[in-house]
Amino acid sequence: MFSIIIPVFNRPDEIDELLESLTQLDYKQKFEVVIVEDGSTMPALSVLEKYKGKLQMTYLNKSNTGPGDSRNYGMKHANGDYFILIDSDCIVPSHYLNEVEKAFQMNYVDCFGGPDKALKSFSNIQKAINFSMTSFLTTGGIRGGSETINKFQPRSFNMGISKKAFEASGGFGSIHPGEDPDLSIRLWQLGFETRLFPEAYVYHKRRIDWEKFYTQVNKFGKARPILDSWHPQYRKWSYFFPTVFILGFYFAFFLLIFAQDNLLKLYFIYFFLLFQVSSFQNRNVLIGLLSVKAAWKQFQGYGLGFLQSFIKIRLLNQNPQEAFPELFFKK
């Protein structure tokens, strides 16, 4: 049986949308939904009353220890033998569990991940951020496109893991973000396989403004050198690309002092291409423009965060918890 684990922190409106989508699933077999309230000051319990009799639910309330530990808590209390982790800002399409079941019949794995898409009802900023986070033209391409389907690092907003793999690995660690690639690598080391299920996608709303988006991707950048120090055999040169991109952009402006503008022209061509692709995919010029802004914030946030962390962790050998306490939850 599938157990759908949903950590939630001060987002009762989002859990409402997610639970409503789960009532619309085409899946005919029994499944349970486990909601883990991670120390919220705005609890979602009143929202759950709407779904009594519609969903088999378990509600767990705990102190705030972060999303990774909340997922672990939910899996420990779940009744299923396969756990599916969905973030509260996601909406699940009706075919989701059927696609997971179909993929298992073709090639069972103890851990899988699915992609994310944007709904037509999403705001223009949400669509622009979604484009930047998933496109092959940005670090979204580095995040997913450079990984093969059979060696995919699932992301915890849309991820499945068997009870066997969870118990063997101990689940997520205390770092956030970065807990999902860390878990994937530890699963590989234990002999488990991971896989991308391309059709098991969710609609990821990402209800964040520009400042929160920058903070999020900056933390992604800070987490990567820490993960590389823990798992050096999985380092990739491509992880340096956002930092090189940002430093190259600043250097392009420096070259203008010497009347050299060729490098800056290359950046202009890149951003114009990104604008065209996003405008075409979204059929909206405004989203194309916003996608340029989103990509810039993504490169800048990730690239500068990576550089700062690389210096502290890799060059100065600082302790990750002391260098970046904001990336670690205390259990």
Side-chain angles (χ1 to χ4, degrees), residues 15-54:
I15 197 71
D16 192 3
E17 291 182 300
L18 174 53
L19 293 177
E20 177 60 33
S21 71
L22 292 177
T23 66
Q24 305 301 316
L25 289 175
D26 297 333
Y27 192 65
K28 302 302 181 184
Q29 305 300 317
K30 184 179 178 181
F31 68 91
E32 71 167 340
V33 179
V34 179
I35 295 95
V36 184
E37 193 87 70
D38 186 26
S40 300
T41 57
M42 294 187 297
L45 188 57
S46 60
V47 174
L48 307 188
E49 294 293 326
K50 294 170 54 178
Y51 299 97
K52 282 187 175 180
K54 296 181 180 179

Side-chain angles (χ1 to χ4, degrees), residues 52-310:
K52 282 187 175 180
K54 296 181 180 179
L55 294 169
Q56 179 183 333
M57 291 186 300
T58 299
Y59 177 77
L60 306 172
N61 198 345
K62 53 180 279 298
S63 59
N64 180 241
T65 55
D69 190 54
S70 295
R71 297 183 189 105
N72 291 344
Y73 190 82
M75 288 186 279
K76 289 176 183 177
H77 290 81
N79 296 309
D81 51 15
Y82 208 103
F83 310 128
I84 295 179
L85 313 174
I86 303 289
D87 276 2
S88 63
D89 59 352
C90 293
I91 296 173
V92 178
S94 60
H95 64 268
Y96 180 86
L97 285 183
N98 284 330
E99 290 296 338
V100 173
E101 194 78 66
K102 188 188 304 181
F104 279 162
Q105 292 172 1
M106 295 178 60
N107 185 4
Y108 176 85
V109 288
D110 284 284
C111 182
F112 76 87
D116 58 321
K117 297 186 178 183
L119 275 172
K120 291 182 179 180
S121 59
F122 285 9
S123 72
N124 288 341
I125 292 178
Q126 287 172 334
K127 291 176 181 177
I129 290 176
N130 180 268
F131 175 85
S132 182
M133 291 291 284
T134 60
S135 174
F136 69 95
L137 290 172
T138 66
T139 59
I142 295 172
R143 183 183 70 165
S146 62
E147 303 172 50
T148 63
I149 287 179
N150 292 318
K151 204 67 173 176
F152 184 70
Q153 294 182 5
R155 271 67 189 182
S156 50
F157 68 86
N158 179 15
M159 176 181 181
I161 181 172
S162 69
K163 183 176 182 178
K164 177 182 177 182
F166 167 66
E167 292 178 343
S169 64
F172 295 99
S174 60
I175 191 171
H176 176 74
E179 71 272 27
D180 26 23
D182 172 59
L183 176 56
S184 295
I185 293 171
R186 289 190 287 108
L187 287 173
W188 296 342
Q189 293 170 339
L190 290 168
F192 293 102
E193 294 183 1
T194 61
R195 187 174 178 85
L196 170 66
F197 288 179
E199 298 305 316
Y201 58 84
V202 298
Y203 300 110
H204 199 179
K205 213 158 192 180
R206 292 191 178 92
R207 289 190 175 180
I208 49 180
D209 55 30
W210 291 118
E211 183 178 352
K212 290 179 180 178
F213 178 56
Y214 179 90
T215 300
Q216 181 187 60
V217 293
N218 185 254
K219 286 184 176 181
F220 288 158
K222 290 176 180 177
R224 178 50 65 180
I226 296 174
L227 297 175
D228 288 347
S229 69
W230 292 347
H231 310 290
Q233 67 273 40
Y234 293 101
R235 294 173 184 167
K236 293 182 181 180
W237 286 108
S238 59
Y239 297 146
F240 286 87
F241 177 69
T243 301
V244 173
F245 182 93
I246 289 298
L247 295 181
F249 186 80
Y250 296 148
F251 183 65
F253 275 94
F254 173 75
L255 290 178
L256 292 179
I257 299 174
F258 306 99
Q260 298 293 324
D261 63 353
N262 289 334
L263 182 57
L264 192 60
K265 287 179 180 177
L266 290 177
Y267 277 92
F268 176 81
I269 292 171
Y270 165 76
F271 283 117
F272 184 68
L273 176 63
L274 191 148
F275 161 73
Q276 287 185 310
V277 172
S278 178
S279 297
F280 176 78
Q281 287 186 3
N282 291 285
R283 294 177 173 81
N284 189 309
V285 173
L286 178 57
I287 296 175
L289 290 172
L290 291 173
S291 295
V292 173
K293 181 176 181 178
W296 169 252
K297 285 191 172 291
Q298 186 178 7
F299 276 112
Q300 186 183 41
Y302 188 103
L304 295 181
F306 182 95
L307 179 62
Q308 181 185 5
S309 182
F310 182 83

